[in-house]
Amino acid sequence: MASPRLTGLVPESMSSGAGAVNLVLNERIRRLSATGRDIVNFSFGQSPFPPMDIAVRALQENAHRTGYEPVKGILPLRKAIARAHAERDGLHFELDNIVVGPGSKELIFLLMNVFNGDIILPSPAWVTYGPQATLSGSSSVLMELREEDGWRVTPEILAEVATQKCTKKNKLLIFCNPDNPTGATYSRDDLQALIPVIREHNIVVLSDEIYGFLEYSGEHHSLAELCPDRTIFSSGLSKWASSGGWRLGFHVFPNELSELCAGLTHAASHTYTSASAPIQYAAAE
């Protein structure tokens, strides 16, 4: 006799979705393209360019590496990350404050899991921030951005959300710069104007700068430079290095947020363990 079918195994908040809509659309477009149809794909942030030859060769040369690497990432890669951002952004990262993972997406999710406080989510926003907050079980609030502000976070909007919607002492602002999906970028003055509100309302900023190296005007500015003690810098290889499928990202914490760095590292050790060894060595090149 067949057992009765089990129901209610997934919380209602997650049972009705079909997954990240950009990934769903991307897979559908692949199936349509395979039938010979000519499809222009606007669903996914996938670079059409090949990865760098030096990285491909390094990946081939390091394919034999099968060991578990340090949770925070191999030292040569963390040195390369620090060097690249010192040269291009003028940022100065301490090596022990860098945590490498299998994509910045995974690291953002783990950060939401270990953060003790409200999560402030911009709207409109990348499709995954909201579901990640739901999956993490965190308390989250929406921050509605306005077209007349160029879809940027303003001091007035941030202060209103912090005082009228948030209920917890600590707050984590998810901040994408340059922004996905709006393309909004921030001047130095725009960022400076946010800092008094960040400090007044106990806000920690996750600055998602995965598109930072693709700000072609050369005027990309980071909160990690202007408000380093409250900013977690997030980036990776997916966009600028045409290596989305390699799944390699990183977060950088200031010394003042060492508690969060330790919490994320602890969570990483119990989930993904370490990023792929061959990928790390290739990225270090």
Side-chain angles (χ1 to χ4, degrees):
M1 182 177 179
S3 299
R5 183 178 179 180
L6 297 177
T7 60
L9 300 176
V10 178
E12 185 178 348
S13 60
M14 296 307 300
S15 62
S16 59
V21 65
N22 55 344
L23 293 175
V24 172
L25 286 172
N26 194 55
E27 290 172 10
R28 182 181 180 189
I29 288 168
R30 282 185 175 180
R31 291 194 297 270
L32 291 172
S33 296
T35 67
R37 295 182 63 176
D38 185 16
I39 307 292
V40 179
N41 188 352
F42 286 106
S43 69
F44 201 61
Q46 175 72 51
S47 171
F49 304 109
M52 292 174 283
D53 289 341
I54 187 174
V56 173
R57 289 195 300 270
L59 182 58
Q60 294 169 340
E61 293 167 0
N62 287 282
H64 66 283
R65 297 185 184 273
T66 60
Y68 294 109
E69 298 296 345
V71 177
K72 286 186 176 181
I74 62 172
L75 186 58
L77 176 55
R78 285 183 283 139
K79 286 182 176 179
I81 290 168
R83 183 170 60 251
H85 286 282
E87 293 173 354
R88 299 189 66 165
D89 298 325
L91 302 175
H92 300 285
F93 298 148
E94 294 191 21
L95 300 183
D96 200 46
N97 292 344
I98 299 173
V99 182
V100 175
S104 58
K105 188 176 187 177
E106 173 74 9
L107 294 172
I108 293 170
F109 175 58
L110 290 184
L111 180 66
M112 290 183 182
N113 275 269
V114 302
F115 184 77
N116 182 24
D118 288 319
I119 298 176
I120 301 174
L121 302 171
S123 177
W126 178 45
V127 296
T128 288
Y129 293 142
Q132 282 189 334
T134 300
L135 278 169
S136 71
S138 301
S139 168
S140 62
V141 299
L142 278 182
M143 175 176 58
E144 300 287 348
L145 306 181
R146 302 177 300 210
E147 184 177 6
E148 56 264 36
D149 297 320
W151 304 112
R152 295 178 182 88
V153 179
T154 67
E156 295 77 18
I157 292 174
L158 182 57
E160 180 180 353
V161 170
T163 56
Q164 297 185 19
K165 290 188 175 182
C166 293
T167 60
K168 298 187 177 181
K169 173 186 175 183
N170 297 319
K171 304 154 191 75
L172 176 66
L173 169 64
I174 305 300
F175 183 76
C176 192
N177 176 32
D179 186 71
N180 174 11
T182 69
T185 59
Y186 292 80
S187 69
R188 192 178 185 90
D189 288 343
D190 291 332
L191 297 176
Q192 289 278 19
L194 296 174
I195 296 175
V197 181
I198 290 169
R199 297 198 183 283
E200 179 180 354
H201 296 286
N202 288 343
I203 297 173
V204 172
V205 181
L206 184 281
S207 189
D208 183 353
E209 302 188 26
I210 193 72
Y211 291 98
F213 282 178
L214 299 179
E215 215 292 345
Y216 297 115
S217 71
E219 292 297 322
H220 176 64
H221 299 284
S222 174
L223 264 175
E225 174 192 1
L226 303 175
C227 190
D229 59 308
R230 292 294 185 91
T231 304
I232 302 165
F233 182 91
S234 176
S235 192
L237 295 185
S238 296
K239 310 307 178 186
W240 71 270
S242 302
S243 302
W246 286 22
R247 309 310 303 136
L248 194 96
F250 57 88
H251 279 184
V252 187
F253 295 79
N255 288 329
E256 291 83 355
L257 298 179
S258 60
E259 182 182 1
L260 272 177
C261 183
L264 178 65
T265 305
H266 176 80
S269 73
H270 289 295
T271 51
Y272 65 80
T273 305
S274 62
S276 163
I279 297 296
Q280 289 196 63
Y281 281 94
E285 294 292 330

